Amino acid sequence: MRALLVVNPAATTTSARTRDVLIHALASEMKLEAVTTEYRGHARDLARQAADSDEIDLVVALGGDGTVNEVVNGLLHRGPDPESLPRLAVVPGGSTNVFARALGLPNDAVEATGALLDALREERERTVGLGLAAGTPGTEDGAVPSRWFTFCAGLGFDAGVVGRVEQQRERGRRSTHALYLRQVVRQFLDEPHRRHGTITLERPGADPVTDLVLSIICNTAPWTFLGNRPVYAAPKASFDTGLDVLALSRMSTASVARYATQLLTSSPERGPQGKHAVSLHDLTDFTLHSKVPLPLQMDGDHLGLRTSVTFTGVRRALRVIV
């Protein structure tokens, strides 16, 4: 087997020595080329080259969810073709690793490498669905190119939190769960639209859902992890269906306390519910419009401000080693 290993040297939970051990373990089982990323977008460029080549059977992403997202976007730069494209494997090296854990992989890089090698020997793989987001044609964001996401996206409040965390990391702060929680509080205190939302959700064959403050799009469950605790914003979301949405039309102090408690106690059987909560399951196509520019995030990566984004749930988009 010919494989490309894409290594993020800034991965927060692996050391240089650990990465060397993992590379040697993988190289003992396959013809491996290991490349260390040098700039933002490098993982995407490497995966694009692998997708266009007839010489690569497998691309392994060693890093966090951001590295995985770049690799996926590189592999799918011409669109889905599961039977022809290289397969994807993930060795988690980030602080949260939602995609890898949602696939059932160990959260430890060494254990995950062992599980990956076992899966390759036993030829275990699955074809997963993914989300695709693009600027809405006919709007001021119409020229924004499409981008794939593996587990979640968000327009509004949660994307604002992601942006704040990225700012803190650029200042040298470590990416920890405590850092995220602090930025959630600060985003809430500074949120100008928490009582009168600016987002409208439109989908074919249904009335628009208006005045939303927060919109979380999930491609799988759980939505995220707080340490080892899984958090289910959309418990029915799955790699085998379309996209799920959790939206809130109000974020008063009382309602935020209620929904935050529901998220912390959520389970595969029950997510947030209430008068101001909107839950939609298995959507293929929908659009989020906002009266004002709002932050957009995908797979925990802040992508700037948008006023209109069209989402598509694409079933059976990519083969993944599990």
Side-chain angles (χ1 to χ4, degrees):
M1 177 178 291
R2 300 160 300 180
L4 169 67
L5 174 64
V6 179
V7 181
N8 179 359
T12 56
T13 58
T14 58
S15 65
R17 179 175 294 180
T18 300
R19 290 191 290 270
D20 286 343
V21 170
L22 301 183
I23 290 170
H24 282 96
L26 293 169
S28 68
E29 298 284 339
M30 62 190 75
K31 184 177 180 181
L32 184 73
E33 178 186 5
V35 181
T36 298
T37 58
E38 299 176 355
Y39 54 87
R40 186 165 185 167
H42 195 184
R44 180 194 62 232
D45 295 342
L46 293 169
R48 180 187 293 120
Q49 295 169 12
D52 291 341
S53 169
D54 293 328
E55 300 179 355
I56 301 297
D57 304 304
L58 175 70
V59 177
V60 184
L62 171 52
D65 289 309
T67 303
V68 175
N69 180 277
E70 285 195 17
V71 168
V72 166
N73 275 277
L75 288 172
L76 298 179
H77 77 106
R78 295 184 186 275
D81 189 359
E83 301 307 316
S84 299
L85 288 172
R87 290 170 292 171
L88 170 69
V90 179
V91 178
S95 58
T96 310
N97 308 307
V98 178
F99 181 67
R101 296 166 80 174
L103 288 170
L105 298 174
N107 198 38
D108 176 80
V110 175
E111 291 183 13
T113 300
L116 166 60
L117 293 173
D118 289 342
L120 288 170
R121 296 186 193 106
E122 298 169 13
E123 299 183 347
R124 297 198 310 266
E125 64 178 54
R126 65 181 291 190
T127 304
V128 299
L130 298 171
L132 183 66
T136 305
T139 71
E140 61 184 71
D141 291 326
V144 176
S146 60
R147 177 163 171 158
W148 296 89
F149 59 95
T150 63
F151 65 92
C152 82
L155 181 69
F157 182 86
D158 76 306
V161 173
V162 169
R164 287 174 178 270
V165 170
E166 288 192 2
Q167 289 177 351
Q168 294 297 314
R169 293 188 66 182
E170 289 172 359
R171 296 170 184 168
R173 301 286 181 83
R174 291 187 66 248
S175 179
T176 63
H177 301 296
L179 176 63
Y180 272 89
L181 291 175
R182 286 197 299 271
Q183 302 317 308
V184 167
V185 174
R186 290 173 181 172
Q187 180 68 21
F188 172 73
L189 294 175
D190 293 342
E191 176 59 57
H193 308 294
R194 64 175 184 250
R195 293 185 180 273
H196 303 285
T198 66
I199 303 171
T200 296
L201 186 153
E202 296 181 351
R203 55 188 168 129
D207 292 334
V209 183
T210 62
D211 302 326
L212 301 173
V213 179
L214 173 151
S215 53
I216 297 171
I217 300 94
C218 293
N219 185 50
T220 187
W223 164 49
T224 189
F225 289 84
L226 287 176
N228 291 322
R229 180 196 293 269
V231 179
Y232 296 88
K236 294 181 180 179
S238 166
F239 289 128
D240 299 319
T241 62
L243 302 174
D244 283 26
V245 176
L246 170 67
L248 300 180
S249 59
R250 187 176 177 85
M251 291 188 67
S252 64
T253 303
S255 64
V256 166
R258 180 168 61 254
Y259 293 124
T261 300
Q262 290 181 353
L263 279 171
L264 291 174
T265 58
S266 59
S267 70
E269 292 75 36
R270 186 177 179 85
Q273 298 178 348
K275 182 172 65 173
H276 302 296
V278 177
S279 296
L280 302 172
H281 174 57
D282 196 12
L283 304 185
T284 300
D285 297 285
F286 63 94
T287 297
L288 296 176
H289 300 286
S290 175
K291 299 173 185 176
V292 299
L294 294 176
L296 172 70
Q297 68 88 9
M298 291 187 212
D299 288 346
D301 189 9
H302 187 270
L303 301 179
L305 302 179
R306 300 285 189 273
T307 56
S308 188
V309 186
T310 295
F311 293 89
T312 306
V314 181
R315 289 175 171 83
R316 298 186 59 80
L318 189 66
R319 292 184 299 165
V320 182
I321 303 298
V322 293

